[in-house]
Amino acid sequence: MAKSNEPIWWFLFSAGGVVAALLVPIHILLIGIAWPLGVLPADALEFSRMQALLAHPLTRLYCFVLISLPLFHWAHRFRFTLADLGLHGAAMLIAVLCYGAAIAGTIVAALTLWG
Amino acid sequence: MANSTPEGTMRLEVFRYFPEKGEEPHFQTYEVPFRKDWVVLDALNYIKDQSDGSLTFRWSCRMGVCGSCGVMVNGVPKLGCSAFLRDYYPNPIRVEPLANFPVLRDLVFQLDSFLEKLKSIQPWIVRRDGEKPVSDGEYLQTPAQHARFKDFSMCINCMLCYAACPVVGMEPHFLGPAAIALAQRYNLDSRDAGREQRQETVSSHDGIWQCTFIGQCSAVCPKHVDPAGAIQQAKLASTVDWFKEVLWPFGGREKR
Amino acid sequence: MKPDVRTIPANWWLRRSPPWWLRRRPYFLFMVREFTSVFVGAYVVIFLMMIRRLNEGQAAYEAFLASLQSPLAIVFHMVALAFAVFHTVTWFHLTPKAMAVRIGEERVKPALIIAPNYAAWAVISAIVAWFLLG
């Protein structure tokens, strides 16, 4: 009954959407805005502490999920956004590029975290 | 035609198209009396009766149950019998045929594509084991079982949702909101065993997966069917099916 | 229908200007909602870059941190945050639609499904902040 393989992409899109909704804002706020503007202590993101944090296997798993799933969320949504904007001719190419980029990003994340 | 007294006039700009004349469509402006209880359909009938008998449009029940009188009012799909002039007065109203369908004449559009899509999802109860004899009594259904599909059964096939959906316009083969909502209506009916049969059509690329959840279909639906909800629920159900098929390829087919 | 009589093709409506997503507010907000995915994707790529710099050693990592303090970076993150929050809010309000949760005959009010999402968002954000800031 697997008439099309859309379900797997939609599932990854949904999972990525949940991860993005719950986790992405706080990361942007703390790392990208609060710390650079000096709202947080200057040593909040200090090298040795971050390195120690990342050494923990659960932290690496967390980072992998935080990077990979939102990438698939972007890929699926962007693919359909381009279609909604009228780009129908290159539909297959767009799908391959979008999911391909998400897969590539996932591989790079895995290599970075566990390579 | 009304018990109210006219309180001024209102301008309607109506889409006109004469296929036999070979000209491009144009807008014709009419002045109609403004009455507080009048709807766009009343205004169109006034024009046809009093000013311009050539104006052509569909209508029937004039009370929001037949689904015949769908038109674009100021760019928004509405039932002509449910769009009150007083909501627009004193500004002029632009009336056009329902979007995303071929136009035959004036406000009359060709709805064959919708009927084909509707037929393709098998909008009837599919029994697995045949009908039981009448002497055995009715098929019983609890209120909870009925509630599962009741909203989706309220569709009057007015096609406002198709006019509201850009994907319908851009992808001619997209099943569209009403057809999918009606597929769900039968899939969720406890008396039906046809979900698997319908999946071939519903879960295809031109079925639920073209939908990007814009949501305007549900916003314009005059019967609060919520086709957008039906489609997202169908996506979830199809995804669960997909995983089951992938993870248990030799498992038996479950009756849902 | 006579074959030589011309019907106006179905795309007559969509072919007009402006593009459909600029014609009405709900359509425009939909496009904004979809566009949030670009900033979500961009941010997690930046996050990945940060981890890579961390692996490359202190000098590389601190150079990355310094670049976060440039005005361009801060403005980008502010825009990204706005889009990310818009994603979160619209996501929470959309997910109840995909699930028809019923108790008996009655449909559970969407607010009862949405509110716990916001609560979870607050709690999880607090936990992340606690871990990140020590």
Side-chain angles (χ1 to χ4, degrees):
Chain A
M1 205 204 297
K3 293 304 156 197
S4 78
N5 284 319
E6 293 287 353
I8 184 66
W9 306 119
W10 185 81
F11 173 74
L12 290 170
F13 153 79
S14 300
V18 174
V19 169
L22 291 172
L23 296 176
V24 166
I26 188 67
H27 279 274
I28 299 179
L29 179 67
L30 294 176
I31 302 173
I33 300 173
W35 180 81
L37 288 179
V39 173
L40 301 175
D43 65 349
L45 302 176
E46 193 255 317
F47 175 74
S48 49
R49 206 171 64 79
M50 289 295 117
Q51 210 182 26
L53 205 57
L54 195 58
H56 199 291
L58 281 181
T59 313
R60 295 192 194 190
L61 189 60
Y62 172 86
C63 289
F64 180 72
V65 169
L66 178 61
I67 295 167
S68 172
L69 286 178
L71 277 179
F72 282 103
H73 173 81
W74 160 82
H76 186 79
R77 206 165 213 179
F78 195 64
R79 168 198 166 199
F80 278 100
T81 301
L82 291 180
D84 282 345
L85 286 171
L87 272 79
H88 298 284
M92 182 57 96
L93 178 65
I94 289 172
V96 166
L97 288 177
C98 287
Y99 297 129
I103 292 170
T106 298
I107 293 173
V108 171
L111 290 173
T112 306
L113 290 163
W114 295 295
Chain B
M1 199 192 289
N3 296 323
S4 60
T5 49
E7 300 168 31
T9 62
M10 203 159 161
R11 202 163 66 216
L12 257 68
E13 292 164 11
V14 185
F15 185 100
R16 300 305 308 274
Y17 176 60
F18 300 94
E20 69 275 15
K21 285 191 186 166
E23 292 162 4
E24 287 305 301
H26 61 278
F27 284 90
Q28 197 159 345
T29 303
Y30 304 94
E31 293 285 330
V32 302
F34 169 68
R35 293 176 189 262
K36 273 210 297 280
D37 55 352
W38 267 20
V39 288
V40 169
L41 182 59
D42 291 320
L44 293 175
N45 272 316
Y46 175 89
I47 295 167
K48 192 169 178 76
D49 287 345
Q50 312 284 342
S51 328
D52 186 347
S54 73
L55 181 59
T56 310
F57 49 96
R58 288 192 181 108
W59 65 284
S60 184
C61 75
R62 87 259 183 284
M63 59 181 197
V65 293
C66 73
S68 304
C69 65
V71 285
M72 305 298 278
V73 179
N74 288 355
V76 180
K78 287 211 186 281
L79 293 179
C81 66
S82 310
F84 282 88
L85 296 185
R86 63 178 184 248
D87 291 335
Y88 303 91
Y89 183 77
N91 299 316
I93 297 178
R94 173 162 280 220
V95 184
E96 298 168 279
L98 229 41
N100 301 331
F101 289 99
V103 181
L104 291 167
R105 173 186 215 85
D106 292 349
L107 302 174
V108 178
F109 61 95
Q110 186 182 72
L111 41 80
D112 298 49
S113 61
F114 169 67
L115 293 177
E116 288 303 317
K117 291 169 183 177
L118 181 58
K119 214 161 55 175
S120 75
I121 55 103
Q122 301 168 71
W124 47 77
I125 300 272
V126 172
R127 302 292 303 166
R128 187 172 50 190
D129 302 321
E131 300 292 340
K132 62 181 183 182
V134 173
S135 49
D136 281 2
E138 318 94 308
Y139 291 104
L140 297 179
Q141 198 168 58
T142 66
Q145 285 174 318
H146 178 58
R148 283 184 84 210
F149 67 89
K150 184 186 171 200
D151 285 348
F152 300 148
S153 72
M154 304 308 267
C155 176
I156 59 174
N157 295 1
C158 65
M159 292 165 276
L160 297 194
C161 55
Y162 283 70
C165 178
V167 181
V168 167
M170 289 188 284
E171 298 285 348
H173 299 294
F174 173 44
L175 266 188
I180 300 172
L182 284 161
Q184 278 295 92
R185 174 255 175 275
Y186 288 97
N187 287 341
L188 295 174
D189 192 323
S190 54
R191 300 166 294 183
D192 176 84
R195 184 167 172 274
E196 214 179 293
Q197 272 171 245
R198 296 189 189 96
Q199 277 299 83
E200 173 109 29
T201 312
V202 170
S203 197
S204 68
H205 179 68
D206 282 326
I208 51 184
W209 301 112
Q210 287 279 29
C211 167
T212 54
F213 204 173
I214 298 172
Q216 277 301 294
C217 53
S218 292
V220 303
C221 176
K223 310 309 279 182
H224 311 293
V225 170
D226 190 15
I231 299 175
Q232 307 323 305
Q233 289 163 38
K235 287 180 185 173
L236 189 56
S238 292
T239 302
V240 170
D241 282 345
W242 189 91
F243 273 106
K244 277 188 186 159
E245 199 166 305
V246 163
L247 297 175
W248 292 278
F250 304 109
R253 297 263 192 252
E254 267 179 40
K255 156 108 173 76
R256 284 194 152 242
Chain C
M1 189 171 63
K2 288 183 282 193
D4 56 333
V5 171
R6 185 182 150 259
T7 57
I8 301 174
N11 62 2
W12 66 273
W13 179 258
L14 269 187
R15 283 182 61 218
R16 289 184 181 168
S17 332
W20 63 269
W21 48 276
L22 280 175
R23 293 191 213 170
R24 288 178 54 216
R25 207 176 100 111
Y27 292 133
F28 180 69
L29 289 177
F30 161 78
M31 255 322 156
V32 173
R33 180 192 100 196
E34 297 300 285
F35 205 68
T36 63
S37 71
V38 172
F39 284 94
V40 163
Y43 180 72
V44 298
V45 168
I46 292 173
F47 186 79
L48 174 59
M49 277 164 44
M50 183 171 82
I51 296 179
R52 288 182 72 81
R53 298 287 175 269
L54 197 56
N55 283 347
E56 285 166 23
Q58 185 153 359
Y61 176 71
E62 284 174 0
F64 180 87
L65 287 188
S67 71
L68 283 180
Q69 292 173 305
S70 77
L72 188 62
I74 295 176
V75 166
F76 167 80
H77 282 88
M78 284 181 160
V79 172
L81 181 63
F83 276 97
V85 169
F86 192 67
H87 164 71
T88 299
V89 170
T90 53
W91 189 262
F92 288 165
H93 289 256
L94 286 176
T95 39
K97 294 248 172 181
M99 300 171 280
V101 186
R102 285 202 161 80
I103 300 180
E105 269 181 83
E106 290 303 314
R107 178 103 182 240
V108 171
K109 283 193 178 6
L112 287 179
I113 301 178
I114 296 172
N117 280 299
Y118 278 108
W121 185 33
V123 167
I124 289 172
S125 298
I127 294 173
V128 169
W130 186 78
F131 269 102
L132 197 58
L133 305 175

